Amino acid sequence: LGEDPSFNISIRNLGAIPVVLAAIHRHVVAGARLTEYACATLAYQAREGVTHEELETEKAVLEVAKGMDHHLGDMLVQRAACSFLETFAVSAHKRAHIAEAGACAPVVAACRNHEANLDVVMDAVLLMGTLAQDGVARLSLMDTEGPQAIVSAMRVHAGDTTLQERGCRALWNIAVHGPNKDRIAIE
């Protein structure tokens, strides 16, 4: 539904976004595909201009974090969820909200648990780099061992230039601010 721009207006006008959020909430335990498709639909809608208010961002972030936790072993859920969260991490306020909703831990877990899968690692590391631009999210990433997950992924995929760039950006964003400089050097 979300891939064809002509459907985008229809989804929005139908009031489908609350229905998608309710589906994630009610059925997160039931199926990984439902969670994956719901996250992908929400991310696409956000990229196509649906407002954060229309997407009920605060509720959506909580539901996506729960879905990531519940379907930790599913690479497709992790990628769709990271894409959704990356779409919302556009301002300090939104990045702080993502951290406060507890979504940093599942992102770090996705990076760790799917370390051999370059696609999942790319999405997770990109998101961690974006989240690390905010103080609350930076601290949350430090507390959930985000830098260690990033360095480990960079070691596994040492030959991938894009991942190395994203990893360095993420580590820089984490390290450049306040006491994190010393914490990363020590750890």
Side-chain angles (χ1 to χ4, degrees):
L1 250 180
E3 293 302 321
D4 184 337
S6 64
F7 289 121
N8 196 36
I9 301 296
S10 299
I11 293 170
R12 188 177 186 180
N13 292 343
L14 286 172
I17 293 167
V19 174
V20 170
L21 291 174
I24 295 175
H25 178 73
R26 282 193 306 269
H27 302 289
V28 71
V29 175
R33 295 295 64 85
L34 181 134
T35 303
E36 173 200 354
Y37 297 149
C39 290
T41 299
L42 294 172
Y44 182 80
Q45 293 297 294
R47 285 190 299 272
E48 293 302 311
V50 174
T51 67
H52 292 277
E53 291 74 27
E54 287 177 288
L55 284 170
E56 299 179 44
T57 307
E58 294 174 6
K59 180 179 179 184
V61 169
L62 289 170
E63 297 302 334
V64 168
K66 282 193 271 183
M68 289 181 81
D69 277 338
H70 189 77
H71 299 290
L72 185 57
D74 192 294
M75 293 181 294
L76 297 174
V77 168
Q78 302 307 312
R79 290 198 67 204
C82 284
S83 174
F84 170 75
L85 293 171
E86 176 70 26
T87 302
F88 283 107
V90 295
S91 69
H93 170 74
K94 296 298 182 188
R95 289 187 293 272
H97 176 72
I98 289 169
E100 290 163 357
C104 289
V107 172
V108 173
C111 190
R112 284 198 178 282
N113 289 316
H114 298 284
E115 187 176 72
N117 184 290
L118 182 60
D119 292 331
V120 174
V121 169
M122 285 277 220
D123 292 343
V125 170
L126 176 65
L127 178 56
M128 285 190 270
T130 300
L131 291 173
Q133 296 175 44
D134 174 74
V136 174
R138 250 190 321 276
L139 292 174
S140 183
L141 288 169
M142 290 297 294
D143 291 342
T144 58
E145 299 185 348
Q148 293 89 332
I150 294 165
V151 170
S152 184
M154 290 173 72
R155 285 184 178 132
V156 170
H157 301 283
D160 190 281
T161 306
T162 303
L163 180 65
Q164 299 304 310
E165 179 184 322
R166 287 180 181 182
C168 288
R169 174 184 170 257
L171 292 170
W172 180 78
N173 282 346
I174 293 169
V176 77
H177 303 282
N180 292 334
K181 288 184 268 188
D182 297 331
R183 283 182 68 183
I184 288 179
I186 293 168
E187 294 173 8

